[in-house]
């Protein structure tokens, strides 16, 4: 039975990836941080066969202990401070977790595997935020990185450190440069879920307005359930490598909002929107669109869920969640 250790198992991607690996017959382990983490119950209910290990990406010995106890064939490093807007407010914490945490995990794997570092395959959750002020359209694996936030800078560090461990120690370490991916499990601080939750509440008469920042930003949005499949595929290759994972389509935040309202039959959506500069960022990533041709060729990976279906899925899930709370 293959085994895997997932950091960030309580997050959106961690849950989908754990479900995927359990379905594939893996013995799945997850790193869970903090005292009395409120998401422990959720993981235990959803994934009763998964073993949780206490640990934190900033605490190297906890990572070594988790590796010793789980003894995984594959490590998926998904843990991070992942909210871009927050990364300006806590830049040092973001650096400790999202940048140095990657080094800690790579070094822990290297120490754990001794003289055979390729024995454990490693996945790093890199991000399209590394492209920032984009230097190519669409963005691909060789596009110059120009991050625009402390989060983006931290991800660049993790990305190059992963490549460096591959080149220095022969580790099977791959980096997935994933573009935005969403789902009904997306954290409510991210724009898509903020919108889907608000639209559901407005539709059901529970909320009157939606307060937003920059509606002009454009993102390449896919479905998280599709994207975790790409992570797994990367670790099944003979050679470790880096891959862009994206739909190849870009849409504005405005389009997302408009479609979400249209899904519940509201066409005059603009009257519900209030602009608040609080949600603007010190530096914005204006447009992202990914070129996934390498992943499609080498991994045979393609997204299954399109933009319109993604928006419908998220709004429907939030409407149903509120209605089921009424029963
Ligand atoms: P989430 O924000 O949903 O999950 C982040 C996870 O990291 C949570 O499980 C969180 O734990 C954990 N974490 C935070 N701090 C620490 C720490 N100090 N030690 C250990 N774990 C920690 O992110 P997603 O699931 O959306 O993303 C997964 C990864 O992919 C992240 O690295 C993200 O930056 C990256 N990424 C995401 C994209 C997306 O569009 N979703 C696109 C590209 C990259 P807790 O629940 O306890 O807070
Ligand atoms: P992003 O996601 O920064 O792309 O990072 P987010 O959903 O936070 O923002 C997307 C775009 O929407 C604009 N926006 C708003 N954003 C939020 N959160 N709230 C608002 O009210 C709002 N109004 C407009 C933002 O300015 C931005 O342009 C996500 C994270 O998952 C990262 O961890 C990941 O690496 C990248 O995607 C790829």
């Amino acid at each position: 039975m293959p085994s895997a250790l997932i950091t960030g198992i309580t997050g959106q991607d961690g849950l989908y990836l754990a479900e995927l690996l359990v379905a594939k017959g893996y013995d799945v382990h997850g790193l869970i941080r903090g005292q009395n983490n409120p998401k422990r119950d959720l993981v235990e209910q959803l994934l009763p066969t998964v073993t949780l290990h206490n640990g934190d990406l900033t605490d190297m010995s906890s990572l070594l202990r988790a590796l010793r106890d789980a003894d995984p064939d594959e490590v998926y490093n998904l843990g991070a401070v992942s909210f871009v807007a927050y990364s300006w407010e806590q830049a040092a914490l973001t650096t400790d977790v999202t940048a140095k945490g990657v080094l800690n995990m790579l070094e822990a794997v290297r120490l754990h595997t001794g003289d055979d570092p390729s024995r454990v395959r490693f996945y790093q959750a890199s991000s399209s935020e590394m492209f920032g002020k984009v230097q190519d359209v669409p963005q691909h694996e060789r596009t110059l990185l120009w991050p625009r936030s402390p989060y983006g800078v931290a991800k660049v560090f993790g990305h190059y450190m992963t490549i460096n461990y591959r080149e220095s120690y022969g580790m099977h370490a791959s980096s997935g440069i994933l573009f935005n991916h969403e789902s009904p499990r997306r954290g409510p601080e991210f724009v898509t879920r903020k919108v889907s939750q608000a639209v559901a509440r407005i539709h059901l008469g529970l909320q009157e307005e939606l307060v937003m920042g920059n509606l002009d930003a454009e993102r390449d949005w896919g479905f998280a359930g599709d994207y975790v499949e790409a992570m797994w595929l990367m670790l099944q290759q003979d050679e470790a490598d880096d891959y862009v994972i994206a739909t190849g389509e870009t849409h504005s935040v405005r389009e997302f909002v408009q479609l979400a309202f249209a899904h519940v039959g509201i066409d005059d959506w603009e009257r519900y929107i209030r602009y608040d500069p609080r949600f603007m960022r010190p530096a914005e990533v204006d447009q992202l669109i990914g070129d996934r041709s390498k992943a499609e060729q080498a991994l045979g990976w393609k997204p299954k869920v399109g933009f319109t279906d993604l928006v419908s899925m998220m709004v429907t899930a939030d409407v149903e969640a509120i209605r089921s709370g009424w029963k």
Side-chain angles (χ1 to χ4, degrees):
M1 191 194 239
S3 60
L5 173 66
I6 303 172
T7 73
I9 196 164
T10 54
Q12 170 188 254
D13 292 7
L15 291 173
Y16 280 112
L17 179 64
E19 283 174 343
L20 178 79
L21 297 182
V22 166
K24 286 185 184 297
Y26 277 63
D27 174 23
V28 177
H29 297 255
L31 190 81
I32 187 155
R33 71 175 174 133
Q35 202 175 314
N36 193 21
N37 189 318
K39 294 191 201 141
R40 179 182 281 272
D41 286 351
L42 171 73
V43 180
E44 284 174 348
Q45 270 169 25
L46 215 56
L47 296 150
T49 60
V50 165
T51 310
L52 292 175
H53 303 264
N54 291 314
D56 193 296
L57 284 166
T58 60
D59 180 342
M60 176 82 165
S61 60
S62 73
L63 303 179
L64 280 166
R65 209 165 38 242
L67 283 166
R68 184 197 64 199
D69 295 347
D71 196 19
D73 302 306
E74 297 173 6
V75 170
Y76 294 86
N77 188 38
L78 311 186
V81 172
S82 78
F83 186 34
V84 174
Y86 180 75
S87 76
W88 275 280
E89 288 168 23
Q90 304 224 342
L93 176 69
T94 303
T95 305
D96 285 346
V97 179
T98 306
K100 197 157 169 260
V102 184
L103 173 59
N104 289 343
M105 198 68 225
L106 283 163
E107 189 58 14
V109 170
R110 188 177 77 83
L111 293 172
H112 172 72
T113 49
D115 51 12
D116 184 11
S118 66
R119 170 164 78 81
V120 173
R121 297 186 171 195
F122 182 87
Y123 173 84
Q124 168 56 19
S126 288
S127 163
S128 53
E129 278 294 299
M130 301 190 305
F131 296 122
K133 190 171 175 183
V134 300
Q135 301 296 301
D136 287 318
V137 180
Q139 297 84 53
H140 52 82
E141 291 79 4
R142 291 170 319 286
T143 296
L144 180 72
L145 304 179
W146 196 309
R148 297 265 283 169
S149 63
Y151 169 82
V153 173
K155 282 288 177 187
V156 171
F157 175 90
H159 180 65
Y160 281 123
M161 206 43 101
T162 302
I163 294 171
N164 188 258
Y165 268 62
R166 182 167 78 219
E167 294 179 353
S168 304
Y169 304 115
M171 260 175 75
H172 192 293
S174 292
S175 174
I177 308 173
L178 271 53
F179 282 61
N180 298 55
H181 45 278
E182 319 294 314
S183 73
R185 289 178 179 160
R186 189 56 143 152
E189 66 274 39
F190 301 96
V191 77
T192 55
R193 187 74 197 291
K194 176 176 169 178
V195 171
S196 68
Q197 279 190 330
V199 167
R201 290 177 60 79
I202 289 169
H203 172 58
L204 297 171
L206 300 170
Q207 188 170 325
E208 285 175 357
E209 61 175 14
L210 169 55
V211 186
M212 297 288 298
N214 179 16
L215 296 184
D216 294 326
E218 295 177 347
R219 291 290 182 273
D220 180 330
W221 277 297
F223 171 54
D226 291 343
Y227 284 45
V228 296
E229 182 95 36
M231 298 176 187
W232 175 77
L233 283 168
M234 283 179 218
L235 297 205
Q236 310 317 305
Q237 306 307 304
D238 291 340
E239 301 292 329
D241 208 337
D242 311 314
Y243 300 91
V244 160
I245 300 297
T247 69
E249 264 183 44
T250 192
H251 297 274
S252 65
V253 174
R254 178 176 285 99
E255 276 177 87
F256 192 101
V257 174
Q258 183 184 358
L259 260 183
F261 275 104
H263 184 72
V264 296
I266 298 175
D267 293 327
D268 56 346
W269 59 276
E270 274 161 314
R271 76 187 181 90
Y272 294 98
I273 307 296
R274 182 163 63 81
Y275 167 73
D276 189 332
R278 203 159 47 93
F279 293 108
M280 298 298 280
R281 296 174 180 185
E284 179 62 284
V285 172
D286 296 324
Q287 189 201 52
L288 290 172
I289 177 166
D291 171 359
R292 67 160 187 277
S293 42
K294 179 177 171 184
E296 194 163 331
Q297 221 170 20
L299 309 176
W301 182 87
K302 267 202 258 196
K304 298 189 186 90
V305 178
F307 180 65
T308 310
D309 289 342
L310 175 66
V311 179
S312 305
M313 178 204 297
M314 292 180 70
V315 176
T316 302
D318 279 321
V319 170
E320 278 169 9
I322 297 169
R323 283 203 173 122
S324 70
W326 287 346
K327 280 181 200 149

